[in-house]
Amino acid sequence: MKILVTGGCGYIGSTTARLLQRAGYEVWVADDLSEGHAAAWDGPMLQVQLREEGQVAAMAAQHRFDGIVHFAARAYIGESMQQPLRYWRCNLLPLLHLCACFRGVPIVFSSTCAVYGEPEVERLEEHLPLQPVNPYGASKMAAERVLSDRALAGAGSYVALRYFNAAGAEDDGLHGEDHRPEPHILPRAIQNALGQLEEPLQIYGTDWPTADGTCVRDFIHIEDLAAAHLMALQYLLEQGESVALNLGTGQGHSVMEVIQAVTRLVAKVEWQETARRPGDPARLVAGVEKARQLLGWTAQHSQLENIITTAARWHQQFPGGYPT
Ligand SMILES: NC(=O)c1ccc[n+]([C@@H]2O[C@H](COP(=O)([O-])OP(=O)(O)OC[C@H]3O[C@@H](n4cnc5c(N)ncnc54)[C@H](O)[C@@H]3O)[C@@H](O)[C@H]2O)c1
């Protein structure tokens, strides 16, 4: 079976593309290389700007795919607060064009826990109302709605996977996170500990309503995310019904706990407090029962120690990230 992975030169997409390939699928990646890296994926690749409908249509004229795994998007909450229109364009146009050009093809979609906003519950479950507090989350919520309307019209099924905080690197140490600049707390803490960051790690507020005053997040290893995409794809190819599922561990770690763990496992992290960032919820932890029941998926690689040691190995071996 032939599968299209959009954004397959990016962090989560490339790891997933490799797993799908190992599982026996013929995998084609489509990426504009705006954020991703050619060196992250060495299989078949189409350099395509998915915001241009003509380019997506040209791809559809040449290739018939049995399934699509759609990662390509912009994914920075802070940036989305400053450039909301960019997020609506970048996160909706590619999906609309894929839906228009690949009618009937099942889609596994990268959604996010940012669709929930900040309900005051211990764990976020899929039945909660979606009330995003930033344009990034709002654009993903709208994308889920597009997929749901398409499915109701009989034009193709979908699984929306709402990931919590993706983290870690592949076990071989050869593939990991390389965003430039890197906005995520975990790789930044490791880069700081390894002396790869010139400035101290910024912590956005220590007065949040959490046990130690720093934000709490649910970190999920990219190998676990990749496995969930494989299972979701198989589920759709076996005629499973459209659904949205959380991907997390169900366990939260505060920013301060991450800093302490990186200090223990890698080296001391230099940090300094700065103001809260608009659009950041205090606590985001997944309810994970639905993905377990429907797909049989649970996180296997997402212990904080494993996330940090795999990511540290990657950053140590490739201090400048992927070669350009
Ligand atoms: N990283 C996280 O913690 C996280 C959490 C929740 C959801 N997500 C979602 O997962 C997906 C992947 O995230 P990531 O961290 O791997 O991001 P990434 O930036 O590493 O990968 C995205 C890839 O998509 C490509 N791309 C973007 N826009 C494109 C376009 N218009 N046409 C063609 N290619 C395009 C980029 O070049 C890049 O290779 C995103 O949809 C993101 O919203 C990520």
Side-chain angles (χ1 to χ4, degrees), residues 6 29 35 67 97 102 120 133 137 140 201 321:
T6 75
V29 157
E35 293 286 320
H97 298 152
F102 292 98
E120 289 181 5
V133 294
K140 290 286 186 173
L201 180 74

Side-chain angles (χ1 to χ4, degrees), residues 65-76:
F65 293 110
D66 299 290
I68 296 174
V69 187
H70 179 41
F71 290 96
R74 287 200 76 77
Y76 304 129

Side-chain angles (χ1 to χ4, degrees), residues 223-272:
E223 307 251 29
D224 282 330
L225 289 179
H229 286 77
L230 172 60
M231 289 167 150
L233 181 66
Q234 286 166 341
Y235 165 86
L236 287 177
L237 294 173
E238 288 160 10
Q239 313 304 321
E241 282 186 15
S242 297
V243 68
L245 300 173
N246 287 343
L247 297 180
T249 64
Q251 207 196 335
H253 294 286
S254 73
V255 167
M256 203 48 78
E257 279 171 27
V258 168
I259 289 175
Q260 285 162 358
V262 173
T263 298
R264 184 162 42 84
L265 295 164
V266 185
K268 185 164 168 34
V269 178
E270 300 294 339
W271 60 274
Q272 72 182 197

Side-chain angles (χ1 to χ4, degrees), residues 4-8 10-14 16 68-75 90-92 95 98 107-115 136-145 147 158-164 166 225-226 228-229 232 236 243-247:
L4 175 67
V5 177
T6 75
Y11 175 42
I12 311 166
S14 63
T16 302
I68 296 174
V69 187
H70 179 41
F71 290 96
R74 287 200 76 77
C90 291
N91 292 354
L92 275 183
L95 178 67
L98 288 169
I107 297 180
V108 179
F109 174 65
S110 294
S111 189
T112 164
C113 61
V115 295
Y136 168 60
S139 69
K140 290 286 186 173
M141 179 182 77
E144 284 197 24
R145 179 63 195 259
L147 286 167
Y158 74 95
V159 175
L161 295 174
R162 297 175 182 161
Y163 337 144
F164 283 61
L225 289 179
H229 286 77
L236 287 177
V243 68
L245 300 173
N246 287 343
L247 297 180

Side-chain angles (χ1 to χ4, degrees), residues 1-5 20 24-29 44 46 59-69 102 105-106 233 237:
M1 281 202 171
K2 191 167 160 180
I3 306 298
L4 175 67
V5 177
L20 297 182
Y25 293 103
E26 179 185 342
V27 178
W28 285 71
V29 157
L46 304 161
M59 185 166 67
Q62 287 190 344
H63 297 270
R64 199 195 140 270
F65 293 110
D66 299 290
I68 296 174
V69 187
F102 292 98
V105 178
L233 181 66
L237 294 173

